[in-house]
């Protein structure tokens, strides 16, 4: 099986979730009668299994890829040659785990109020090598949604006892009073560390980049007519245990916009019409790196590690010595660490979000046990 000198186009990998959305994802694949339902996410280049009360199978969440006329699980593709696909340094540190999970997320409704553990908490108490810090790149907002927003951190924090009471009584009105709506627009980049209570507003289409886990403490139990079973609320622990996950420090909007929202930082110029920008880097998190390339013309590149790419505007052709693949808006691909030189050709401007794993020089203290 010839897998070298190739880029891998990634098909949709829809995953069941507790909230509603996915109409835009249906439209992207030309599905007849596109509609919102319980498959609002497309997990991209994933080796992470979903934790679902209504599991669609033991491999739900794990991506598939076509190679040589065969369909392989992404885990099996990596196992063919981990050093080639992920890089020798990465494999020495993390094994065959890419350490980054990328999604397209299409919300029709506001998601549940929730919080994810930090990596340190997950390693200490949840038998997991990863927490679930996450980043958002806002792609679009649905027609009719005038003020797209997220909730990010408590602007008016409750004390532990008050939050516990609100959760037990499902006092959603009081829960909302702990937050302000943080308005977002296409092109915004946000980072949500583990421990920060949050919720994504309805009508948002985004790229979500996170640590590779599905650990979540949801403290709101019902959304859009669906009530969470007990197993989907507290990570199979107690409420008191989950309250230890929460960051109760106040996060006024000035702090949110100053510390958790980012402007692109020019990193590389290939010419007058081709640039690469850093969106999320080492100064923000050891969990991942996120870049945005804006290219018109022809650019030749070679990476030092693998990445997962999402075409967010325009179209292009990606070429190696052996293969040329056309990509259009919202297509996705995997670029192996050992690929070598490749070119991006775009007659008109193309924009690509590029999701990288922890870099060697920024992963100190961030290892799998």
């Amino acid at each position: 099986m010839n897998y070298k000198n190739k880029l891998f186009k990634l098909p949709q990998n829809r995953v069941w979730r507790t909230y509603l959305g996915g109409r835009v994802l249906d439209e992207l694949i030309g599905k007849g009668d596109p509609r919102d339902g319980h498959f609002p996410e497309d997990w991209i280049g994933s080796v992470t299994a979903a934790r679902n009360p209504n599991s669609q199978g033991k491999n739900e969440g794990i991506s598939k890829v076509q190679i040589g006329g065969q369909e392989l699980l992404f885990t099996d593709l990596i196992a063919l040659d981990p050093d080639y696909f992920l890089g020798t340094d990465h494999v020495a540190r993390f094994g065959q785990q890419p350490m980054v999970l990328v999604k397209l997320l299409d919300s029709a409704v506001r998601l549940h109020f929730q919080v994810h553990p930090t990596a340190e908490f997950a390693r200490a108490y949840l038998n997991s090598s990863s927490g679930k810090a996450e980043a958002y790149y806002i792609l679009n907002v649905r027609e009719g949604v005038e003020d797209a927003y997220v909730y990010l951190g408590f602007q008016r924090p409750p004390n532990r006892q008050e939050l516990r009471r609100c959760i037990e009584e499902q006092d959603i009105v009081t829960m909302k009073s702990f937050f302000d709506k943080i308005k977002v627009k296409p092109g915004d980049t946000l980072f949500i560390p583990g421990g920060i209570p949050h919720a994504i507003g309805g009508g948002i289409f985004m790229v979500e980049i996170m640590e590779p886990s599905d650990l979540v403490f949801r403290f709101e139990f019902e959304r859009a007519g669906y009530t969470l079973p007990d197993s989907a609320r507290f990570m199979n622990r107690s409420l008191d245990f989950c309250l230890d996950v929460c960051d109760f420090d106040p996060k006024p909007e000035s702090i949110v916009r100053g510390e958790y929202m980012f402007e692109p930082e020019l990193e590389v110029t290939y010419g007058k019409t081709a640039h690469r920008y850093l969106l999320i880097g080492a100064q923000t998190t050891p969990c991942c790196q996120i870049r945005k390339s804006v290219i018109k013309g022809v650019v030749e590149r070679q990476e030092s590690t693998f990445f997962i790419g999402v075409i967010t505007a325009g179209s292009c052709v990606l070429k190696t010595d052996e293969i040329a693949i056309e990509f259009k808006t919202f297509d996705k691909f995997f670029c192996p660490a050992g690929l070598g030189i490749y070119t991006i050709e775009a007659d008109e401007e193309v924009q690509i979000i590029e999701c990288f794993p922890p870099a060697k020089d920024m992963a100190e203290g961030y290892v799998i046990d």
Side-chain angles (χ1 to χ4, degrees), residues 28-48:
L28 292 182
I29 57 173
K31 187 174 181 179
D33 190 24
R35 62 177 63 190
D36 292 312
H38 280 287
F39 288 85
E41 296 180 4
D42 173 12
W43 291 22
I44 305 167
S46 168
V47 304
T48 303

Side-chain angles (χ1 to χ4, degrees), residues 179-230:
F179 298 90
D180 288 332
K181 292 180 177 179
I182 308 298
K183 292 183 180 181
V184 295
K185 64 185 184 305
D188 281 350
T189 303
L190 302 88
F191 179 71
I192 298 85
I196 304 293
H198 63 279
I200 298 164
I204 293 176
F205 183 42
M206 66 166 69
V207 183
E208 187 176 23
I209 307 98
M210 66 187 67
E211 293 180 86
S213 88
D214 203 18
L215 294 169
V216 56
F217 160 35
R218 298 181 179 95
F219 48 93
E220 182 180 12
F221 301 156
E222 191 274 334
R223 291 298 298 149
Y226 178 82
T227 301
L228 296 172
D230 290 346

Side-chain angles (χ1 to χ4, degrees), residues 122-153:
R123 285 196 292 267
Y125 302 110
L126 291 166
N127 193 32
S128 173
S129 300
S130 298
K132 198 179 177 186
E134 54 193 33
Y136 307 153
Y137 180 81
I138 309 298
L139 294 169
N140 213 337
V141 175
R142 291 193 184 194
E143 186 176 354
V145 177
E146 294 184 0
D147 293 318
Y149 69 91
V150 299
Y151 291 122
L152 206 169

Side-chain angles (χ1 to χ4, degrees), residues 5 29 43 47 60 75 95 114 132 195 206 291 305 317 336:
N5 206 27
I29 57 173
W43 291 22
V47 304
E60 185 183 12
T75 46
Q114 59 191 270
K132 198 179 177 186
M206 66 166 69
R291 294 178 169 87
T305 186
V317 177

Side-chain angles (χ1 to χ4, degrees), residues 276-294:
R276 184 182 249 179
Y277 300 87
L278 182 68
L279 301 182
I280 301 284
Q283 73 279 15
T284 302
T285 177
C287 303
C288 63
Q289 305 167 86
I290 307 170
R291 294 178 169 87
K292 177 180 180 179
S293 286
V294 180

Side-chain angles (χ1 to χ4, degrees), residues 54 75 87-88 124 152 200 242 248 302:
N54 297 348
T75 46
T88 303
L152 206 169
I200 298 164
C242 287
F248 287 92
Q302 183 171 3

Side-chain angles (χ1 to χ4, degrees), residues 7 9 295 297-300 311 314-320 323-328 331 333 342-348 350 352:
L7 291 141
K9 199 170 192 175
I295 295 169
V298 179
V299 170
E300 185 178 89
I311 310 296
S315 61
C316 64
V317 177
L318 271 64
K319 292 182 177 180
T320 70
I323 194 169
I325 306 176
E326 294 184 6
F327 290 90
K328 63 182 185 304
D331 282 345
F333 64 92
Y342 67 100
T343 60
I344 301 173
E345 299 182 7
D347 293 334
E348 300 296 331
V350 66
I352 309 171

